[in-house]
Amino acid sequence: MTNELNQLDPNQLINPPWIVKIIENDWKEYFSLEDLTNAKCRASAHHRRAPEKNLVMSKNGTFKLETVLADTSTEHLMDASSWREAINRMCDIVDRHLPGRYASDVANRWRHHAEHLQNRSDFKENFHLYLLYDIRLRRAYVHEFKDFLPNQFQWLVWENVKDEQRDKRILAVEATMNTMNTFRQPASVASRPHSMAPNFYYPTTNLNQSFRSQSSALTPSQATRANTGRPPTTSRGAPNNSAPSAPRGKCYICLSADHTGRACTDTTNGFLTKSADGKWLTPSNQSICFGYNGTLRCQKTECPHLHGCSKCGSGQHSVQSHNTA
């Protein structure tokens, strides 16, 4: 009959020998918990770790041995399940291989530390912070700071970890905003409607200089319209439009051809009188239609003003034909 005590556990994993050696040397070297996960322990059975010493040439040409440090750069990316596997295995290794009679006490303190973190109400949502806290404690324990007890929650370390992560998030947001502002380019105003123009676009050149530089690439008529806002004129002074504009006509107050009715300085013409509030009224206090007395006549379907000559009130003609009526 086969003795059951001699049967191997098929699920038992081999602890990485180089980590066992670190613990046997009184745990004076830091190692990543990532190397104690189930996946890494399975892989360590088939792969050897790099030599602990490398032969390198110094600046003066001599050769010396340098210690090869374990890679801990990705330890902060561990998930909660992998961390739980690794820290429980670490405690078992400490219990079995740490020299001295206090090995079990040290292992139990780290077990209590791991249990305390996992029992906190926000452990799942804030695991990345608790992992950084755990890394900070294990680094301090290795580097001659063994005066503290890992089974007692270190509130100052915890607050420091949270502050550092908050500052990193703020800096990351500011960097993102700066990058967006750097690469955000305003579209050409001429290529899209004014309402779509970006509100962050500020011209960096003098506007007059910009218009002059643009005018040099335009035709004379286009340049005139761009610089003055008015259509170009011919050598005789008439507007050079494709469609003829209406003549200015007579002033609807004094009949002068030198100015418009809006520019007239008279306050009465014998028929219309300008009131104190600026309205032109007939002797019967009616307002007269100036559109009817203009060169294009009134275009309204229903006009509330009197359609009559602004000089005499006749409904047979406008002021434009007053003298010839």
Side-chain angles (χ1 to χ4, degrees):
M1 184 176 63
T2 305
N3 188 351
E4 294 182 359
L5 296 178
N6 296 329
Q7 297 298 306
L8 292 175
D9 182 1
N11 298 317
Q12 185 176 0
L13 298 176
I14 298 176
N15 296 324
W18 64 274
I19 293 183
V20 172
K21 187 173 182 180
I22 290 176
I23 300 299
E24 290 176 342
N25 290 332
D26 203 21
W27 198 0
K28 294 182 178 179
E29 182 182 345
Y30 184 81
F31 56 86
S32 170
L33 280 187
E34 191 176 18
D35 292 319
L36 287 178
T37 61
N38 290 347
K40 287 295 184 72
C41 287
R42 290 190 185 97
S44 66
H46 307 285
H47 301 281
R48 293 181 59 191
R49 184 178 180 238
E52 296 184 357
K53 300 286 185 178
N54 274 351
L55 187 64
V56 297
M57 179 180 292
S58 62
K59 294 181 180 180
N60 57 10
T62 60
F63 289 94
K64 63 178 181 179
L65 292 173
E66 284 190 352
T67 302
V68 177
L69 299 178
D71 183 15
T72 61
S73 60
T74 58
E75 183 182 20
H76 66 286
L77 302 177
M78 294 177 64
D79 57 66
S81 177
S82 299
W83 174 83
R84 188 178 297 109
E85 295 171 357
I87 198 163
N88 288 335
R89 183 169 286 113
M90 182 198 80
C91 294
D92 292 340
I93 296 175
V94 170
D95 197 355
R96 294 174 57 185
H97 299 283
L98 186 69
R101 57 178 179 170
Y102 298 108
S104 295
D105 292 339
V106 173
N108 288 333
R109 289 168 187 169
W110 284 104
R111 288 191 182 99
H112 186 274
H113 155 77
E115 292 173 359
H116 178 72
L117 296 189
Q118 295 176 76
N119 290 333
R120 293 181 67 87
S121 59
D122 60 342
F123 176 76
K124 290 184 178 179
E125 55 267 31
N126 289 323
F127 169 72
H128 67 288
L129 294 178
Y130 286 113
L131 175 58
L132 294 175
Y133 168 83
D134 170 65
I135 292 174
R136 189 77 63 85
L137 259 61
R138 286 185 286 109
R139 287 186 181 275
Y141 189 83
V142 168
H143 293 93
E144 301 302 330
F145 300 136
K146 299 180 182 179
D147 295 335
F148 74 94
L149 299 178
N151 55 312
Q152 294 181 359
F153 195 78
Q154 306 295 318
W155 287 103
L156 294 179
V157 177
W158 172 243
E159 294 298 329
N160 184 259
V161 167
K162 292 194 297 183
D163 291 344
E164 286 183 355
Q165 295 307 303
R166 183 190 63 246
D167 294 343
K168 286 183 178 180
R169 287 195 299 270
I170 294 174
L171 292 176
V173 171
E174 292 177 350
T176 301
M177 296 300 296
N178 292 335
T179 302
M180 292 175 63
N181 292 333
T182 300
F183 289 99
R184 185 185 297 171
Q185 297 295 333
S188 173
V189 176
S191 65
R192 58 181 179 175
H194 176 71
S195 61
M196 296 177 61
N199 57 10
F200 55 82
Y201 174 70
Y202 300 96
T204 56
T205 57
N206 182 274
L207 291 179
N208 293 330
Q209 179 181 359
S210 176
F211 279 125
R212 286 197 297 271
S213 62
Q214 295 176 9
S215 300
S216 62
L218 303 176
T219 63
S221 61
Q222 291 173 329
T224 302
R225 184 181 296 272
N227 290 326
T228 65
R230 300 188 298 272
T233 57
T234 61
S235 58
R236 296 183 180 181
N240 186 19
N241 291 336
S242 58
S245 61
R248 183 170 61 185
K250 301 175 184 179
C251 169
Y252 46 72
I253 303 300
C254 67
L255 280 68
S256 172
D258 296 332
H259 60 264
T260 63
R262 295 180 182 275
C264 187
T265 58
D266 292 350
T267 57
T268 183
N269 63 359
F271 176 70
L272 292 180
T273 301
K274 192 174 186 179
S275 63
D277 57 357
K279 296 180 179 179
W280 290 95
L281 301 175
T282 67
S284 59
N285 289 328
Q286 288 181 287
S287 61
I288 203 161
C289 178
F290 293 119
Y292 174 84
N293 286 278
T295 58
L296 298 178
R297 308 304 291 268
C298 180
Q299 305 297 320
K300 297 179 181 179
T301 303
E302 295 182 3
C303 183
H305 307 292
L306 177 64
H307 277 205
C309 176
S310 60
K311 179 62 177 174
C312 65
S314 172
Q316 303 301 316
H317 63 270
S318 72
V319 74
Q320 300 300 325
S321 56
H322 175 77
N323 291 335
T324 59

